Amino acid sequence: MTPREETIAVGPTRVEVLIGGAGDPLLVLHGAGGNRGWLRWMDAVAERHTIYAPTHPGFGRSDAADWMEGIDDLARFYLWFLDVMGLPRVHLLGHSIGGWTAAEMATMRPDVLDRLVLVAPTGLKPESGEILDIFYYPPEELFPLTVFDAATIPERERLFGRRPTPEEAEIALRNREMTARLTWKPYMFNPRLPHFLPRVTAPTLVLWGREDRIVPVICGEQYRRLLPNATLRVLDRCGHMPPVEQPDRFAELVLDFLRGGPA
Amino acid sequence: MKLYYFSEMPHHEYPDAEGDKYPSLRLAFPNTFFSPEIAQRNYQRYLDEYDAADQAGFDGLMINEHHSTPSCVNVSANMTAGILARTTRKAKLLILGNILPIQDNPVQMAEQVAMADLISGGRVLSGFVRGVGVESWWANTNPIHNRERFEECHDLIIKCWTTPGPFRWEGKHYHFRHVNPWCLPLQKPHPPIWVPGTASPETAVWAGRMGYTYVPFLVSFEVARELFDFYRQGAAEAGRTVTEDKLGFLICAVTADTKARALEAGRHFVWRMGPTLRGPAEYFSPVGMRSREASRFALKARSISLSKMSYEELVESYYIVAGTPDEVVERFARVRRELGIGHLLLEAQESRMDHTTTMRSIDLMGKSVIPAMARI
């Protein structure tokens, strides 16, 4: 299906939003790599849900937000976004730093949340191991670490199959800069988040790739333990990008869970 | 033209093949190759050489600071300035410089520079730098904020030196409720400020606007002239006239009794140009540290990486000057003619350049080169 693109002003900050599908609203928050557009998994999920996939401030073609200092600012921003969109209650799905943002939103306003899907979220300090320092690596070295096997990505050609245009390269740099702004120190986690997660009673699905070399799977265990109503699903032969590495399996798991299946 | 002696206090006493195994000598090369015994001797040696440079008549002694690298184990420019403030008599102490964006306490920085200025009898030239990206990693300071922090840290230091306390500072990056340093510089209104540059047009414009002395480091004449143009643009905006006293340049230099010996000694600088600058772009320029304009300029300024140039090319292009005193005078005079500068900073030492060679170079500079340059 073809989503529509809208520019939404949240206060003075305008963000680009992809909207598509029909049904209960699902807000989708992207990771550090930016909004990759309408993805294959979204086609399947949009049959039952209206997907709202905004591009974070400072990313892509959304307005800058140089005043932001952390992911908690982004979380407050998206709670405001829901007000602007007239969405009093949503399902919320976030990937990587988008997952961290979703977790922060859930701790701030549990009442706006129907069901929560956290996909390899950052946000917690791993009990063992480290979150990979993505700023320490050239982007071309980072990509192979991000996925289990690039050759098996169904949308590989469309997403990663050619050299970026100058405009795409500029956007990639902008995405990286805004990620640095939001996550530099403490690197990729909020030491206060674990103290607030028990507030989130919404059914939560925590999804992880077993071969994630960016955020250790143990963080998934930590989220599961701290969230009162959460289940952890770990996908085999999958790295840090379940939504593009295994889009069909991912869509199926998300649909089942949002349909009211057990967390 | 004034001459400045500069030792980067390297620690090159390890097998080069070991360093080659790592992505970079900075950040990645393990400090298990740091030898406290050798460093102890080196520090004594380097400080003795600074003292000798003062006695030889250098106009100034340049001191810098880096971290997590064998290329420079001077980890505190102000500490070295404090030592030299006591052991030297005449030379200016050019701290070039304190790395402002990674500082969490500009008030303490203002105090330390003031203390060095007091102990030295008002000889400090206070340089402020943004640092290479390695320093942002070392301090874990967000490189996105590098320029903002540089300017705010600078503003607070200047205010410490020029505004009676107590006062409050509530900035974007720095917050102090009771600023009232009981240590103020001897020089009024404050020590002269110097700023180096390698690639950032914004820094050149800013330095020009502020009227600070601006010094490009190890760039071609062509790039230096472009950076000076940016500097003049900033100066013009502020209605300032640019004199040669506001412009400097940094190169590597050594002299010896014969050309052959000088060229042999000068070869040691190749390590500084090549291996110590090797590494991923992310180490030297982490995300957000450079503006788009500075990135474009850096590509142009470093179209040929120093590490790719042969020793002969580095000598030919004036990154390194090595010769007899007469030859060195001639080449320094050419630098001055090319750039119209008032200050020439000489990186004049490398740890594998032995003490005897270094001291002979300092001695010959004092006897022949410094007097000749003073007349030019």
Side-chain angles (χ1 to χ4, degrees):
Chain A
M1 68 157 294
T2 307
R4 66 180 193 276
E5 291 184 49
E6 287 190 18
T7 302
I8 303 295
V10 179
T13 308
R14 289 162 308 169
V15 292
E16 304 287 294
V17 190
L18 288 174
I19 304 171
D24 295 344
L26 170 66
L27 176 64
V28 175
L29 302 180
H30 64 74
N35 191 335
R36 298 178 195 278
W38 193 258
L39 298 167
R40 173 165 162 157
W41 72 267
M42 292 174 172
D43 266 340
V45 172
E47 287 177 13
R48 292 177 177 275
H49 298 277
T50 307
I51 291 179
Y52 297 81
T55 300
H56 305 332
F59 285 72
R61 294 185 191 85
S62 289
D63 281 352
D66 293 351
W67 50 270
M68 283 193 184
E69 295 195 351
I71 290 291
D72 50 342
D73 292 329
L74 192 58
R76 271 182 226 110
F77 178 87
Y78 277 120
L79 290 170
W80 190 1
F81 172 87
L82 293 179
D83 297 344
V84 172
M85 298 301 289
L87 297 168
R89 194 169 163 86
V90 293
H91 297 306
L92 181 55
L93 182 153
H95 174 222
S96 197
I97 65 165
W100 177 6
T101 309
E104 296 276 1
M105 289 170 72
T107 66
M108 292 170 185
R109 288 286 307 276
D111 55 301
V112 303
L113 205 61
D114 202 337
R115 290 191 157 221
L116 176 64
V117 183
L118 302 177
V119 187
T122 53
L124 296 178
K125 181 185 171 192
E127 285 171 355
S128 62
E130 294 170 348
I131 298 175
L132 187 84
D133 192 340
I134 61 170
F135 302 111
Y136 203 60
Y137 292 87
E140 61 276 13
E141 283 180 33
L142 195 60
F143 179 67
L145 296 171
T146 308
V147 297
F148 172 68
D149 179 3
T152 65
I153 295 174
E155 295 161 287
R156 184 185 45 162
E157 268 314 298
R158 184 170 72 81
L159 294 175
F160 313 110
R162 57 173 175 78
R163 289 179 64 84
T165 64
E167 194 202 2
E168 287 165 344
E170 165 61 25
I171 283 176
L173 180 55
R174 202 167 180 252
N175 294 349
R176 215 162 141 83
E177 287 174 346
M178 190 63 184
T179 304
R181 183 177 293 283
L182 297 174
T183 67
W184 192 267
K185 188 165 70 175
Y187 176 61
M188 286 288 175
F189 71 93
N190 171 5
R192 296 171 298 284
L193 181 60
H195 300 280
F196 285 114
L197 285 176
R199 187 183 183 199
V200 182
T201 54
T204 302
L205 174 63
V206 182
L207 264 173
W208 228 281
R210 193 174 301 287
E211 313 295 337
D212 192 329
R213 282 171 287 179
I214 308 290
V215 189
V217 183
I218 193 152
C219 291
E221 294 285 350
Q222 291 168 236
Y223 269 107
R224 186 194 54 75
R225 213 181 310 135
L226 289 161
L227 290 162
N229 199 7
T231 298
L232 171 65
R233 295 292 296 263
V234 180
L235 304 177
D236 290 332
R237 300 181 63 77
C238 185
H240 184 61
M241 310 261 278
V244 297
E245 288 183 74
Q246 299 186 14
D248 301 334
R249 176 80 180 123
F250 179 77
E252 185 187 344
L253 285 167
V254 169
L255 273 173
D256 280 353
F257 172 67
L258 295 184
R259 196 180 287 134
Chain B
M1 185 166 70
K2 292 177 179 167
L3 293 180
Y4 297 71
Y5 172 86
F6 167 40
S7 165
E8 207 165 25
M9 298 197 180
H11 188 101
H12 193 177
E13 288 80 4
Y14 60 83
D16 283 323
E18 291 297 330
D20 294 345
K21 293 176 184 170
Y22 297 87
S24 177
L25 290 177
R26 307 199 187 214
L27 294 172
F29 186 42
N31 64 358
T32 46
F33 291 96
F34 177 87
S35 161
E37 292 72 26
I38 290 168
Q40 181 207 6
R41 289 198 299 274
N42 274 351
Y43 283 127
Q44 298 300 333
R45 176 195 154 184
Y46 296 152
L47 291 167
D48 286 347
E49 289 163 358
Y50 268 122
D51 290 348
D54 175 51
Q55 288 152 22
F58 275 90
D59 296 283
L61 309 175
M62 173 182 156
I63 307 155
N64 78 335
E65 171 178 327
H66 281 286
H67 300 277
S68 276
T69 173
S71 63
C72 173
V73 297
N74 190 354
V75 294
S76 170
N78 291 341
M79 187 185 291
T80 303
I83 294 166
L84 296 179
R86 277 288 287 177
T87 62
T88 64
R89 290 290 170 264
K90 288 185 304 196
K92 298 284 188 187
L93 303 177
L94 170 56
I95 304 168
L96 197 59
N98 276 302
I99 308 161
L100 300 193
I102 64 170
Q103 291 304 323
D104 284 332
N105 192 338
V107 180
Q108 186 179 37
M109 178 66 56
E111 290 172 341
Q112 289 176 350
V113 176
M115 191 165 155
D117 194 50
L118 292 163
I119 295 172
S120 69
R123 288 187 284 134
V124 165
L125 304 172
S126 177
F128 295 143
V129 311
R130 290 177 61 208
V132 292
V134 172
E135 273 64 51
S136 288
W137 287 109
W138 172 79
N140 200 12
T141 306
N142 194 334
I144 287 281
H145 298 141
N146 186 282
R147 180 163 295 282
E148 287 178 4
R149 285 176 65 99
F150 174 81
E151 293 191 10
E152 187 180 335
C153 185
H154 158 274
D155 293 349
L156 177 49
I157 290 172
I158 298 296
K159 183 160 183 177
C160 283
W161 287 342
T162 55
T163 303
F167 62 84
R168 180 176 289 205
W169 184 274
E170 300 286 3
K172 178 171 178 189
H173 298 286
Y174 298 104
H175 303 267
F176 294 90
R177 285 152 56 171
H178 305 284
V179 183
N180 191 25
W182 265 74
C183 187
L184 295 167
L186 188 62
Q187 298 178 82
K188 295 299 170 198
H190 54 73
I193 309 294
W194 288 43
V195 178
T198 52
S200 165
E202 293 100 322
T203 300
V205 171
W206 179 83
R209 205 178 291 139
M210 304 300 284
Y212 296 156
T213 299
Y214 179 69
V215 188
F217 280 10
L218 294 171
V219 295
S220 68
F221 290 154
E222 186 191 354
V223 169
R225 278 192 287 263
E226 265 193 82
L227 289 168
F228 287 148
D229 284 344
F230 282 114
Y231 179 90
R232 288 193 181 88
Q233 180 190 319
E237 283 170 20
R240 295 179 189 279
T241 308
V242 179
T243 59
E244 64 178 26
D245 191 46
K246 295 293 182 191
L247 304 177
F249 193 58
L250 182 142
I251 58 174
C252 295
V254 63
T255 186
D257 293 293
T258 66
K259 182 169 188 168
R261 270 193 217 157
L263 283 171
E264 189 190 334
R267 197 171 282 279
H268 289 294
F269 293 125
V270 173
W271 176 68
R272 184 252 180 275
M273 305 287 184
T276 76
L277 296 176
R278 180 178 60 83
E282 282 67 21
Y283 292 14
F284 291 88
S285 183
V287 63
M289 183 142 169
R290 274 190 183 146
S291 68
R292 300 295 187 276
E293 191 186 358
S295 295
R296 277 192 293 273
F297 193 84
L299 273 181
K300 191 172 63 170
R302 288 270 181 257
S303 55
I304 305 166
S305 159
L306 290 180
S307 63
K308 299 267 186 330
M309 294 172 78
S310 68
Y311 178 45
E312 290 69 26
E313 286 170 323
L314 290 164
V315 169
E316 179 66 24
S317 310
Y318 283 76
Y319 292 97
I320 297 172
V321 169
T324 62
D326 286 347
E327 289 165 337
V328 164
V329 168
E330 190 189 316
R331 289 184 82 80
F332 287 178
R334 164 91 190 277
V335 174
R336 182 178 151 77
R337 280 198 307 278
E338 291 283 343
L339 299 177
I341 53 171
H343 311 274
L344 187 60
L345 284 45
L346 308 177
E347 184 162 348
Q349 194 278 328
E350 205 277 311
S351 52
R352 290 193 190 172
M353 184 191 291
D354 62 54
H355 180 61
T356 308
T357 305
T358 306
M359 291 296 279
R360 183 62 183 153
S361 178
I362 290 169
D363 188 41
L364 289 172
M365 291 271 187
K367 286 197 171 83
S368 308
V369 180
I370 293 168
M373 294 315 296
R375 289 191 294 271
I376 291 176

